[in-house]
Amino acid sequence: MKQHTPKQQKGLEVWEVTLVSELAPNHDNPPGPVSEADAPPAQAKPKGRASKRLCLKLIKLLLPLCVALLLAALVLGVLYLLHEKCEMGILPGVRNNSSGLSRGSQMELDDIQERFRTMLKELAATKNNLEDLTSEHISLSGEKTAMLSRLAQIRTDWEDLKREYTIISDEKKDIQVEFDEAEKELEDLKRKHETLSEETTEFKHNLNQTQANWDDVKTLHTVLLREKSHIQTELHLIQVTKNNSCANDWEYFRGRCYFFSHDWLNWTMSRDSCVSMGGHLAIIEAEEEQVFLTNSGGGYWIGLSDSSQKGDWRWMDNSPLRDPKFWGDGQPEDDKDPDDDPIEEKCVILSWTDKHWDTVSCAGLYKRICESKAADWL
């Protein structure tokens, strides 16, 4: 806003008051007839009629123009004053000093002032809108650039996807070919499976029949073994002599007879076989007897087991084992092996590899050594 010095401000106020006074109607001195003293001096008449007509024409032409210029100057002056007063904030002073103006002129001035203020507000609002639009334009330009960049990236991705689609399509064709071949192989496998199922059913039938026949064979084998043992017992009784000798197939050692079998039985059946022959499984009481028995080889049952109590080793006559020196390395197994069945009974055989004892399952099949006193055959 333009600033004025105090002297300039005072001059403007005087000029404003003068202008308002001239524009306002003079109610105190209404117009009336002018006296001769106040009348202007009469002008001299032109000498010629032509000069008079020319002057009249000039007056007629210039008078409207002068009036229009005067009115325009007055309007511009008023607008300028209003603008200056609005900027300097002294418009209320104008209202106080212009009390002589007519009510209509005052309303026009107020209306002009209000319009001017409205125009200023609209101008400020338009400026703000222009700034907002400029910011929005800049933002939209940035978004447009980003969208164009994104569009270029999308086009690149689209081309990549098209290439990948072509590759996948080719792979799909190859997979379809492999799938068709796999279906053919599956059909062949199904047919083979059906054939194998039929063969398996027939094999199971034959196996069941064979199992039944095998059960019959085992039963017959058990009967034959018992008959053989009975026959051997009878032969031993027949072949007994009275000269401290042993029966046929028995060997004499220090007052005892020993029978080394050639057939294979479990420990229980071996025990019963020896009893049926008039003796018992061998009880080893001396080192000389151990050496004599092991000279015939290994894999023979002897009369030592823990059948009465796990880990309690006893002989056939229920006497406990007193001399454990004939155990092999790591024997007896069931006293040390944590994986050994705690319920399964263990029996003793002469070792295959050395002249010691080994523990095995009582259900195993081995040869046997039967023992009897030589005097018992008398």
Side-chain angles (χ1 to χ4, degrees), residues 62-94:
L62 295 175
L63 183 60
L65 180 60
C66 291
V67 172
L69 291 175
L70 180 60
L71 292 175
L74 290 174
V75 171
L76 290 175
V78 171
L79 291 176
Y80 177 77
L81 287 175
L82 290 175
H83 176 67
E84 291 294 328
K85 295 301 180 181
C86 288
E87 288 185 352
M88 293 186 296
I90 58 174
L91 188 59
V94 175

Side-chain angles (χ1 to χ4, degrees), residues 193-206:
H193 176 71
E194 292 175 356
T195 303
L196 288 175
S197 297
E198 295 175 357
E199 293 177 354
T200 302
T201 302
E202 184 178 358
F203 176 77
K204 287 181 178 179
H205 177 72
N206 295 334

Side-chain angles (χ1 to χ4, degrees), residues 83 86 114-126:
H83 176 67
C86 288
E114 185 65 27
R115 289 182 181 179
F116 183 75
R117 289 177 178 175
T118 302
M119 290 176 65
L120 290 177
K121 292 180 180 180
E122 291 178 354
L123 179 61
T126 302

